[in-house]
Amino acid sequence: YRRNSMVRDASGLTVGEQLLAVAHRCEIFTKRQYKTLSDSLEPLLAEHDIRRIDLNDCSDRCQDAAERRFQNDVLAVISPQAIFEERPFPLLQGLGVHLCIRLKAGKNSGDDPNASPWDFAVIPLGRTVPRVVLMPSDRGHSYVLLEDLIKHFISEFFPGREIVECIAFRITRNADIELQEDAAADLMVGMEEVLESRRQSRVTRLEYSHDASDAMLAFLSEKMQVRGQDLYPISGPLDLSYLFTLHGLEGFDALRNDAWPPQRIPRIEPTENMFSSISRGDILLLHPYESFDPVVRLIEEAAIDPDVLAIKQVLYRTSRNSPIVSALKRAAKKGKYVSVIVELKARFDEARNIEWAREMEQSGVQVIYGI
């Protein structure tokens, strides 16, 4: 933001002042979030026998189960990566949880009087091994988070080395990368370049365990090139999205909000052809309160109706297994003229939209990219 760093907008703030204000507000939100977790959510879960356990203070049965899970599911899958000063720092995935390990420097480093007394390594947790590891329990559900399981057995990764510290951290990369459509000769190629740039963009936030030492924090902040307002000490587990796994546990329906299923439209008979329903008059649908099923049915029926010559569709966001995309592909394979505008710049759905666009093109769909 250097080019216009001193320009003030309608808020009366410069870009730098706005970023500081945003960082301050995010810090307030984060503290509130973790206070809710520790003071409200986890105690309420414990009342219903859903507990996050400490492997340093659990039964022998639980310890044995944890060791089996580590040996069978973790040790052969997850690998540490040593950090060397003379080599580039490894490219870490944004929003992924990692462990950083500080070890006492090896014997060879003693030959260099200027060498650091510490060696460092990083372990990316990845997504192969589930983050929530269920443990045996006499009642309810006990679980341990993957990073805590690895930390408990961290010496298995570094036999013969003295481990000084192991902490969890997470980075957020800058995702605000714009593509000027009128300047991109090939919009698809341009968006793929944007996605690749997003993978390697600068770090805008570093979250780390609040008990990290000064040496560990200095190492991470230097390697991530982040400043004071971008450092977030976290008192609790990083990345609270693991709570969705707990929400999916069976047998706790009473703890969930009542479902609000979308209502069916009385004017549309489930067994009647959609074209027949439409022929009686216009139909107004209000989503999400009324079911989206009639829209899906209309496209699916159009895909196989011999009287339908063409389908013209706009796609902004799609589900992972989109029935609409499947219907459009079927229609094109049946020889219908299918023309689809795909918004490649749908924020954070760009990769999925690129994948769908290519699949549809291979099926004979005419795909148009644009806003």
Side-chain angles (χ1 to χ4, degrees):
Y1 56 82
R2 293 176 181 172
R3 185 185 305 169
N4 298 313
S5 59
M6 300 309 296
V7 176
R8 298 183 182 276
D9 69 357
S11 69
L13 302 176
T14 65
V15 173
E17 290 169 344
Q18 290 180 55
L19 290 175
L20 285 173
V22 169
H24 177 65
R25 185 65 61 89
C26 287
E27 181 183 7
I28 294 173
F29 287 160
T30 301
K31 289 180 178 178
R32 186 185 304 168
Q33 186 180 38
Y34 280 90
K35 181 175 177 58
T36 301
L37 175 71
S38 61
D39 294 356
S40 302
L41 187 54
E42 287 194 324
L44 287 171
L45 288 170
E47 289 180 12
H48 296 275
D49 297 320
I50 302 175
R51 294 180 173 85
R52 178 164 59 94
I53 61 174
D54 183 351
L55 289 177
N56 294 313
D57 185 23
C58 66
S59 65
D60 293 340
R61 176 188 173 201
C62 188
Q63 286 276 1
D64 293 341
E67 186 170 6
R68 285 196 303 272
R69 291 296 300 272
F70 177 81
Q71 295 290 341
N72 297 335
D73 302 337
V74 177
L75 189 58
V77 177
I78 293 177
S79 301
Q81 187 166 359
I83 308 300
F84 298 98
E85 287 293 336
E86 65 274 14
R87 299 180 189 173
F89 193 81
L91 179 63
L92 302 181
Q93 181 183 12
L95 299 182
V97 179
H98 305 79
L99 292 177
C100 189
I101 302 92
R102 181 163 63 103
L103 307 99
K104 190 172 181 181
K107 295 180 181 179
N108 294 335
S109 63
D111 300 334
D112 183 359
N114 297 319
S116 168
W118 316 115
D119 289 337
F120 291 89
V122 170
I123 300 180
L125 299 194
R127 298 177 180 175
T128 305
V129 183
R131 177 96 184 275
V132 174
V133 182
L134 295 178
M135 291 285 106
S137 177
D138 294 332
R139 61 177 187 177
H141 292 270
S142 294
Y143 70 93
V144 63
L145 293 179
L146 178 60
E147 59 266 34
D148 294 329
L149 178 66
I150 295 175
K151 286 169 67 174
H152 191 70
F153 296 102
I154 193 66
S155 59
E156 296 283 335
F157 285 110
F158 305 96
R161 297 296 302 276
E162 181 180 342
I163 297 171
V164 180
E165 183 179 10
C166 178
I167 65 114
F169 72 97
R170 184 172 79 140
I171 61 173
T172 302
R173 293 189 179 276
N174 176 31
D176 191 21
I177 302 174
E178 290 292 334
L179 174 68
Q180 297 298 325
E181 294 186 35
D182 55 356
D186 187 323
L187 191 58
M188 175 80 82
V189 173
M191 280 310 307
E192 289 177 326
E193 291 175 353
V194 165
L195 293 178
E196 182 62 25
S197 299
R198 195 177 279 173
R199 285 183 61 247
Q200 305 181 48
S201 62
R202 68 182 181 88
V203 176
T204 58
R205 178 174 61 174
L206 170 63
E207 299 169 88
Y208 60 94
S209 299
H210 72 287
D211 54 352
S213 67
D214 292 342
M216 178 67 80
L217 182 56
F219 171 78
L220 287 174
S221 58
E222 177 193 353
K223 294 300 181 183
M224 303 304 159
Q225 297 181 352
V226 290
R227 298 169 296 180
Q229 71 266 20
D230 301 322
L231 299 174
Y232 289 76
I234 301 297
S235 181
L238 277 64
D239 184 10
L240 298 183
S241 63
Y242 77 87
L243 293 169
F244 285 111
T245 302
L246 302 184
H247 184 270
L249 292 174
E250 297 181 359
F252 297 93
D253 290 343
L255 302 184
R256 298 182 178 90
N257 290 334
D258 293 335
W260 278 23
Q263 301 300 299
R264 63 175 295 269
I265 294 86
R267 287 181 55 191
I268 300 177
E269 292 294 334
T271 58
E272 184 180 39
N273 182 282
M274 281 300 302
F275 289 105
S276 298
S277 299
I278 294 172
S279 66
R280 293 195 297 270
D282 294 342
I283 300 172
L284 177 66
L285 305 180
L286 288 160
H287 307 305
Y289 307 104
E290 292 179 317
S291 174
F292 194 71
D293 182 62
V295 178
V296 178
R297 281 178 50 204
L298 174 64
I299 298 173
E300 289 178 333
E301 292 173 9
I304 59 175
D305 191 318
D307 293 329
V308 170
L309 304 180
I311 300 176
K312 299 178 188 289
Q313 182 80 33
V314 177
L315 293 179
Y316 185 71
R317 297 188 191 274
T318 55
S319 59
R320 192 166 298 279
N321 299 303
S322 170
I324 290 180
V325 172
S326 298
L328 294 172
K329 289 159 60 178
R330 284 197 303 272
K333 289 178 180 179
K334 287 183 174 292
K336 301 182 188 301
Y337 189 94
V338 182
S339 181
V340 176
I341 294 179
V342 175
E343 175 50 273
L344 292 182
K345 292 170 65 177
R347 194 166 177 84
F348 300 121
D349 273 344
E350 300 96 340
R352 184 181 300 170
N353 284 5
I354 289 174
E355 180 183 350
W356 283 132
R358 287 206 166 117
E359 286 188 16
M360 287 189 292
E361 283 181 328
Q362 292 171 1
S363 300
V365 176
Q366 180 193 17
V367 179
I368 303 167
Y369 308 113
I371 56 174

